[in-house]
C-alpha cells in the first residue's frame, strides 16, 4: 500500500454532503465536458475514484469508467450509486494497482495525487497511468499550485477558507515538500467544531512534467481550470494533460 492516508467510514459517510458545492452541475459540468472529450468514446480509468463524485456522472454520459480506490468505505458509498457491472472498482492504491485492458483516458482530479507523500510514489503513479494508457491516450491531473508566495519569512501557515461553518489553513514543511491541511468544521448549530487534518505532498507543474517524461508521456496542454482558461503566474491550480506517444 502506498503512503496515502486511509479514509475512514466516518469520513466517507459525510464526504458527499461536505462536497455538495463541488458536485453541482454548474461546477462539475465543465470537468465532465473536458474529460468526456478526451475519452473520445473510449474507456476511462479514474485513480482514487472515491465516492464517484466524478466517475458516476461521467459514466452517465456514456463513458465507460473503471475506478481504483484505496478506501473500502469510500468505494462502498460509490456502490450505492452504481453497481459493479455499471462501474467496476478495484480496491488498491493508485500507484501500483493494475486493472485489465487499456484506456484512452486516465485521470486523477481534485489534488489527489498529493495524497502520495513521496516523490518516488508520485513518479510510480505516472508510470502506472502510462501502463494503462493505449497509444495516443491521455493522463489528466488536477492539482493546486503551492501557495508559497503567500509565506513571508518565518511564517509556515496559509489560510484557504474562513467562513461561517469552516476554518481551513495549510501548514508547510518546506524541506519534505509536505503540507498539512487543517480543518475546523462546525457541526450543526450548537457551536461545536470538528477538527480534522490531512497530509499532502505538493509538487510544481515542472516537477510533474519531469515525472511524466520518466513515465514516457509528453505534455500536451496545461490550463488554469476546466473551462480552458490560460495557465499563468496567478493561477492557483492547473489541469495538465500528458499524452502517450503513438
Amino acid at each position: 500500500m502506498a503512503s496515502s492516508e486511509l479514509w475512514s467510514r466516518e469520513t466517507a459517510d459525510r464526504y458527499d454532503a461536505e462536497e455538495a458545492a463541488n458536485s453541482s452541475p454548474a461546477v462539475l459540468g465543465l470537468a465532465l465536458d473536458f474529460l468526456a472529450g478526451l475519452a473520445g468514446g473510449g474507456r476511462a480509468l479514474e485513480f482514487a475514484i472515491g465516492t464517484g463524485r466524478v466517475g458516476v456522472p461521467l459514466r452517465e454520459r456514456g463513458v465507460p469508467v473503471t475506478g481504483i480506490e484505496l478506501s473500502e468505505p469510500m468505494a462502498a458509498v460509490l456502490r450505492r450509486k452504481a453497481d459493479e457491472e455499471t462501474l467496476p472498482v478495484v480496491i488498491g492504491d493508485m500507484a501500483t494497482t493494475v486493472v485489465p485492458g487499456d484506456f484512452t483516458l486516465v485521470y486523477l482530479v481534485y489534488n489527489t495525487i498529493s495524497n502520495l507523500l513521496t516523490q518516488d510514489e508520485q513518479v510510480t503513479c505516472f508510470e502506472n497511468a502510462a501502463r494503462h494508457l493505449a497509444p495516443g491516450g491521455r493522463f489528466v491531473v488536477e492539482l493546486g499550485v503551492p501557495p508559497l508566495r503567500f509565506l513571508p519569512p518565518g511564517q509556515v501557515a496559509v489560510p484557504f477558507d474562513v467562513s461561517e461553518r469552516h476554518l481551513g489553513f495549510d501548514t508547510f514543511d518546506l524541506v519534505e515538500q509536505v503540507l498539512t491541511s487543517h480543518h475546523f468544521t462546525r457541526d450543526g448549530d450548537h457551536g461545536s467544531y470538528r477538527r480534522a487534518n490531512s497530509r499532502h505532498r505538493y509538487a510544481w507543474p515542472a516537477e510533474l512534467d519531469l515525472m511524466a517524461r520518466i513515465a514516457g508521456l509528453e505534455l500536451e496542454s496545461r490550463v488554469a481550470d476546466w473551462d480552458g482558461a490560460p495557465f499563468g503566474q496567478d493561477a492557483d491550480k492547473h489541469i495538465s494533460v500528458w499524452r502517450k506517444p503513438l
Side-chain angles (χ1 to χ4, degrees), residues 19-57:
E19 294 296 332
N22 291 316
S23 303
S24 67
V27 174
L28 202 54
L30 291 172
L32 297 175
D33 291 342
F34 191 106
L35 295 171
L38 289 179
R43 301 170 68 215
L45 175 63
E46 181 171 358
F47 284 177
I49 195 169
T51 66
R53 183 182 71 90
V54 176
V56 170

Side-chain angles (χ1 to χ4, degrees), residues 168-221:
F169 61 92
D170 293 329
T171 55
F172 293 85
D173 181 334
L174 302 179
V175 174
E176 297 297 329
Q177 216 167 297
V178 170
L179 68 84
T180 301
S181 289
H182 305 264
H183 302 267
F184 294 84
T185 306
R186 187 176 180 182
D187 280 330
D189 296 319
H190 48 77
S192 65
Y193 280 79
R194 169 173 38 86
R195 179 178 181 177
N197 60 69
S198 59
R199 294 184 300 153
H200 307 270
R201 183 185 187 273
Y202 60 86
W204 301 99
E207 185 181 2
L208 297 182
D209 289 343
L210 183 56
M211 294 180 189
R213 185 188 301 179
I214 291 170
L217 304 176
E218 302 170 347
L219 180 66
E220 182 174 76
S221 65

Side-chain angles (χ1 to χ4, degrees), residues 37-168:
L38 289 179
R43 301 170 68 215
L45 175 63
E46 181 171 358
F47 284 177
I49 195 169
T51 66
R53 183 182 71 90
V54 176
V56 170
L58 187 61
R59 180 66 185 89
E60 291 170 349
R61 289 196 175 203
V63 178
V65 176
T66 298
I68 293 174
E69 174 53 44
L70 181 61
S71 168
E72 292 191 41
M74 294 287 278
V77 175
L78 182 153
R79 197 50 71 220
R80 302 170 195 165
K81 309 170 187 177
D83 60 28
E84 178 68 18
E85 183 176 354
T86 301
L87 204 166
V89 175
V90 177
I91 300 299
D93 72 81
M94 57 187 164
T96 62
T97 301
V98 178
V99 301
D102 53 22
F103 300 82
T104 60
L105 173 67
V106 178
Y107 64 96
L108 181 53
V109 299
Y110 210 36
N111 300 320
T112 312
I113 194 170
S114 69
N115 291 357
L116 296 169
L117 298 178
T118 70
Q119 185 184 69
D120 284 346
E121 287 179 339
Q122 290 179 351
V123 170
T124 302
C125 182
F126 270 81
E127 292 173 332
N128 200 29
R131 179 183 298 118
H132 285 93
L133 286 172
R138 277 93 168 192
F139 181 39
V140 177
V141 170
E142 176 188 20
L143 185 62
V145 176
L148 299 187
R149 60 180 177 162
F150 297 115
L151 286 175
Q155 182 173 316
V156 295
V158 173
F160 59 82
D161 185 30
V162 180
S163 57
E164 182 180 355
R165 307 196 72 86
H166 178 253
L167 303 175

